[in-house]
Amino acid sequence: MKRADNDSSGTEKPAPKTLGEMLIEEGLITREQLDNALEIQRRQGGTLSEILVKRGMVRPEQLAMILSIKLNLPLIDLKRHVVQPQALRLIPEEMARRYRLIPLDIINGALHVVMANPEDIRAIEDVKAQARMRVEIALGVPDDIERAINMNYRSVAAIEREISQLAPAQGTETKPVTREEASTPITETLDLLITQAIQDRASDIHIEPQEDRLRVRFRIDGILHDMFSFPLAVHSPLVSRVKILADMDISEQRRPQDGQFSFKTGDREVDIRVATMETLHGERVTLRILDKSLALFTLRELGLQPEILKKYHTLLKSPHGMILVGGPTGSGKTTTLYASINELDRNESNIMTIEDPIEYQFNDINQSQVNPKAGITFATGLRAIMRHDPDIILIGEIRDGDTAATAVQAALTGHLVLSSIHANDAVGVLFRLIDLGVEASAITTTLIGVISQRMVRRICPNCKAPYKPDGEELAFYLQEMKGSAPGFFYGMGCNLCAGTGYRGRTGIFELLVMSEPIRRMLRQSASASEIRTQALAEGMITMKRDGLLKVQEGITTISEVIRGVFSVI
C-alpha cells in the first residue's frame, strides 16, 4: 500500500483507496472476488477493470461510476450527448478505435474527449499532438464509446480515396463502365455506402444526380437525410456497378429498370431491390434494403391498441370474406399483411400469396412472385391460385379493376382474402374499390373489414424529455381529445438517434368493421362523410385519435401525428 503523506498541519493524509477497495465498499464485489481477480491479473496480465467486467463480477456501468469517483472525472452518458462534427474531424477513426475514445466537442479552445481508460497517458499525449490543442478528459462506458464510434465515424475518407481514382480530368467526358471495369475502385465505394446505410438503419438509399454534384440520401425512420455529396464523375460508374449487381442492362440509360441483389456485411445478409429512372441530369437509382435478419413484427408490436387488435383478430378468424389494408406508399401496409398471416394457422390452412415483390419468406406458406415477362400479374396469379384449393389468399396489392374483381370473386367463393390498396382512410377504401369498377353490392357482400394506417416515428427513449407544445400543436391535440392536456414528451437528440430525437417507428391505425348499417348505406349510395359518421357512432377509433393516444402514452409527438395523418397518397 502506498505510504501516506503528511499535510502542512502534520496530520497524515489517508492513502487513496484502490479501485478494488472502493468496489467492495459499494457492495459491488466481495473480498474473495477481488482476490481472485488480482490473482488472474498476476498470472495473465491486463487491467483489473477488464478482468472484473470480463468475468461478470461487475457491470461496465457500475465500474465506470466507481472509476469516475476515484479519478475525479466526469462520467459522460454518450447516449444523451451529440458528438459535434468539428470535434470528430480532429481525431481520425483509426486513433479513436485504437485508444477507445470519442472526441465529443470543442469548448473554450479545448477538445473534450470521452475515454474508456483515462489513465492511458500515451493515448492522451497522442490526442493532444493530433488535435494541436488543449484536451479535457472525461470517462465513458466502453460499449457506449464503441457504439458512438460506429455511429459517428463514416467511411468518408475511404470513399473519397476510392472515388478520387475515378474522377477524370476536368472537361473529360465520363462514360458508363463495362462489366469488367465496374469491378474496380467503385466496388469498394458502393460496398461502403450500403454498409453505412445498414448501420444507420436506413430503409432506402437514393442516388440522385444534380446539376453540379451527385447527391446521396438515406431514408431513416421514414425521413430522408442528406448523407454524401460526390463529384458528378462518380455517377456513371456507380450506376453501372449497381446495374451489374442487379443483373440489369448497363447500356440502357433512358428506360426505367428494376432488379435485385443480395449483400452481406458481417453476419447480416440483406436483399437490395433496385430501381432506375432517367431524370434531367441523368439516371437516378433507388436501393431498397430488406434485412433478412430482422424478425417479423407481431400485430401488437406494430402498435395496434388493444381494442382495435381484439376486433381485428376476430376478422382474421373469419372463414371467408375480404380484409383490406389501406394507406399510401411507405405506410407499412405490407408489414401489417405479413404480421396478419404470421398469426394464422399454417398447419390446418392452405395459405397462398401472390406478391410483388416477395419481401420476406415464410415457412409453411406458398408464396408466388409477380412476373410480367411470364404473364404473371396479380390478377392472373390469383386466378392460378384459385385452382390450388386455398383457404387463405394474400394479394400483395389491388392496383387495377381486374385484380379487384378477381379478389372479390375469390372472397365470394369461400376464401379469406387479405390485400392492400391505396386510399387515404378506411372509408376511402370503399370508394376506391368503386372507382376500380367493383359494384357496391359486391363490396357489401364480400368485404368484412378495412384497416387504414400510417407510420410515425417513436420518441428516442434515451433522450426523451418533457416539453410544452406550441399553440398550433396544442390546439390540434385539444380539438380531438377535448379534456385537459397531459404531460408531453419529445426527443432532445442524442448519439443513439443521431440527433433526430426519434428512433424507430410505430403505426397509427383505424379499423372499419363492415356492420349491417354501413353495408346498407353503401348500397344506398351514401356519401363518405355519412358512412364515416356511422362508423364513428359504432365506435371506430380514427387514425388521428389513435395517434394522439400514443402521444398521451409518451410514444410519439403531436408533430409526428400531424405529419402522419395529413400525409397524402
Side-chain angles (χ1 to χ4, degrees):
M1 181 179 289
K2 183 179 178 181
R3 183 177 177 180
D5 295 325
N6 291 338
D7 62 18
S8 57
S9 65
T11 59
E12 282 194 348
K13 288 183 180 178
K17 295 175 182 176
T18 66
L19 174 63
E21 289 169 342
M22 293 178 72
L23 290 169
I24 290 173
E25 280 189 8
E26 292 294 326
L28 297 175
I29 61 172
T30 63
R31 172 63 65 181
E32 183 181 1
Q33 286 176 315
L34 176 60
D35 291 341
N36 289 339
L38 290 171
E39 177 61 23
I40 293 169
Q41 184 184 32
R42 186 185 64 78
R43 293 198 317 266
Q44 300 178 4
T47 67
L48 179 62
S49 301
E50 291 172 341
I51 293 168
L52 290 170
V53 171
K54 188 175 181 181
R55 298 276 169 165
M57 299 179 190
V58 65
R59 295 201 311 272
E61 297 81 3
Q62 295 172 324
L63 185 64
M65 179 185 67
I66 298 301
L67 276 173
S68 172
I69 297 169
K70 174 176 169 55
L71 302 175
N72 194 28
L73 288 172
L75 176 61
I76 301 296
D77 182 356
L78 283 168
K79 298 187 186 74
R80 297 183 178 272
H81 287 76
V82 177
V83 173
Q84 298 303 315
Q86 65 269 24
L88 204 66
R89 283 193 289 268
L90 293 176
I91 305 299
E93 181 178 355
E94 182 276 330
M95 178 178 283
R97 291 192 183 279
R98 187 188 345 143
Y99 292 132
R100 287 197 300 174
L101 58 85
I102 187 78
L104 188 63
D105 202 353
I106 299 173
I107 303 174
N108 297 327
L111 177 64
H112 287 243
V113 177
V114 181
M115 301 182 66
N117 181 14
E119 296 179 292
D120 189 338
I121 303 302
R122 178 180 176 182
I124 295 171
E125 292 302 317
D126 282 358
V127 168
K128 286 180 181 178
Q130 177 69 33
R132 298 183 181 180
M133 66 169 61
R134 189 163 48 89
V135 173
E136 295 286 344
I137 300 300
L139 185 68
V141 177
D143 286 349
D144 288 351
I145 292 173
E146 183 177 354
R147 187 183 300 111
I149 290 172
N150 290 337
M151 292 180 68
N152 288 278
Y153 279 103
R154 303 188 181 279
S155 303
V156 177
I159 290 174
E160 288 179 347
R161 269 198 312 272
E162 299 296 338
I163 64 177
S164 66
Q165 302 177 49
L166 298 164
Q170 190 169 3
T172 303
E173 183 182 356
T174 59
K175 298 179 180 179
V177 293
T178 65
R179 289 188 174 269
E180 291 73 24
E181 293 169 333
S183 59
T184 49
I186 203 65
T187 302
E188 182 66 17
T189 302
L190 183 60
D191 286 355
L192 288 167
L193 276 177
I194 297 174
T195 300
Q196 189 65 57
I198 294 169
Q199 185 173 295
D200 289 348
R201 302 180 297 110
S203 61
D204 302 85
I205 303 172
H206 292 248
I207 301 172
E208 305 166 323
Q210 307 295 302
E211 184 177 4
D212 58 348
R213 65 189 176 104
L214 182 63
R215 182 191 198 191
V216 178
R217 296 191 289 171
F218 292 171
R219 188 179 293 280
I220 303 170
D221 291 335
I223 304 296
L224 280 169
H225 300 269
D226 274 297
M227 307 304 294
F228 300 97
S229 183
F230 299 148
L232 276 176
V234 178
H235 173 241
S236 188
L238 186 61
V239 172
S240 293
R241 177 59 185 165
V242 172
K243 286 181 175 180
I244 287 167
L245 290 174
D247 197 24
M248 297 156 72
D249 185 352
I250 62 173
S251 65
E252 177 58 67
Q253 299 178 52
R254 295 186 176 182
R255 179 174 56 85
Q257 297 188 68
D258 298 297
Q260 66 182 75
F261 63 93
S262 293
F263 183 86
K264 190 168 186 179
T265 174
D267 59 352
R268 296 171 67 183
E269 185 173 1
V270 301
D271 279 338
I272 309 289
R273 302 287 162 80
V274 181
T276 67
M277 181 179 180
E278 184 185 25
T279 67
L280 177 62
H281 300 295
E283 276 186 292
R284 66 157 287 147
V285 180
T286 302
L287 295 88
R288 169 150 291 188
I289 301 169
L290 301 170
D291 193 341
K292 295 179 179 179
S293 68
L294 296 178
L296 285 167
F297 291 103
T298 64
L299 289 169
R300 185 178 296 278
E301 289 169 339
L302 289 180
L304 273 79
Q305 300 280 8
E307 183 180 342
I308 298 176
L309 185 60
K310 183 178 179 181
K311 292 179 180 178
Y312 188 62
H313 272 144
T314 300
L315 295 177
L316 287 176
K317 293 176 182 176
S318 302
H320 53 78
M322 185 161 63
I323 301 171
L324 295 180
V325 182
T329 300
S331 61
K333 298 188 298 296
T334 300
T335 304
T336 299
L337 286 175
Y338 279 168
S340 300
I341 64 171
N342 201 36
E343 296 191 14
L344 297 172
D345 188 339
R346 307 183 204 176
N347 293 322
E348 296 186 2
S349 298
N350 177 17
I351 303 175
M352 302 187 71
T353 77
I354 178 70
E355 306 172 55
D356 182 25
I358 296 174
E359 295 190 6
Y360 294 97
Q361 297 181 20
F362 293 85
N363 293 324
D364 304 319
I365 288 177
N366 303 287
Q367 295 175 267
S368 304
Q369 168 81 47
V370 166
N371 185 353
K373 293 180 180 178
I376 302 174
T377 64
F378 279 119
T380 59
L382 180 53
R383 283 192 283 270
I385 285 173
M386 294 286 287
R387 294 190 286 270
H388 288 269
D389 186 32
D391 297 296
I392 300 163
I393 303 169
L394 183 146
I395 307 165
E397 186 178 351
I398 293 178
R399 299 175 181 171
D400 52 54
D402 196 9
T403 306
T406 311
V408 167
Q409 186 61 37
L412 278 170
T413 52
H415 306 91
L416 180 62
V417 177
L418 286 77
S419 189
S420 69
I421 190 167
H422 280 213
N424 279 323
D425 56 27
V427 174
V429 168
L430 307 180
F431 291 88
R432 176 62 179 152
L433 287 173
I434 291 173
D435 289 342
L436 291 174
V438 182
E439 295 288 338
S441 58
I443 297 172
T444 57
T445 304
T446 58
L447 190 64
I448 59 175
V450 176
I451 189 163
S452 189
Q453 66 182 80
R454 299 289 191 278
M455 299 298 289
V456 295
R457 291 180 292 174
R458 286 177 169 270
I459 299 170
C460 175
N462 287 293
C463 60
K464 184 176 178 179
Y467 87 112
K468 185 176 180 180
D470 63 31
E472 288 186 6
E473 286 188 354
L474 190 58
F476 178 85
Y477 176 88
L478 292 174
Q479 182 186 30
E480 176 68 31
M481 306 304 282
K482 307 303 180 190
S484 60
F488 297 98
F489 296 89
Y490 83 120
M492 296 185 294
C494 66
N495 266 344
L496 202 62
C497 62
T500 65
Y502 297 98
R503 184 172 175 84
R505 293 193 290 173
T506 188
I508 56 175
F509 302 89
E510 64 183 32
L511 177 63
L512 171 68
V513 177
M514 292 295 288
S515 66
E516 189 50 45
I518 291 176
R519 295 179 198 275
R520 185 170 57 251
M521 292 175 73
L522 189 62
R523 286 193 296 265
Q524 294 171 353
S525 301
S527 67
S529 61
E530 289 172 330
I531 293 177
R532 185 176 182 82
T533 299
Q534 177 62 32
L536 291 172
E538 293 177 6
M540 183 179 79
I541 298 173
T542 65
M543 278 187 288
K544 179 181 178 181
R545 186 172 185 84
D546 186 37
L548 293 178
L549 286 170
K550 289 179 170 68
V551 169
Q552 281 187 351
E553 296 171 25
I555 294 171
T556 191
T557 61
I558 299 174
S559 60
E560 271 298 289
V561 175
I562 293 172
R563 185 182 66 83
V565 169
F566 292 108
S567 63
V568 294
I569 295 175

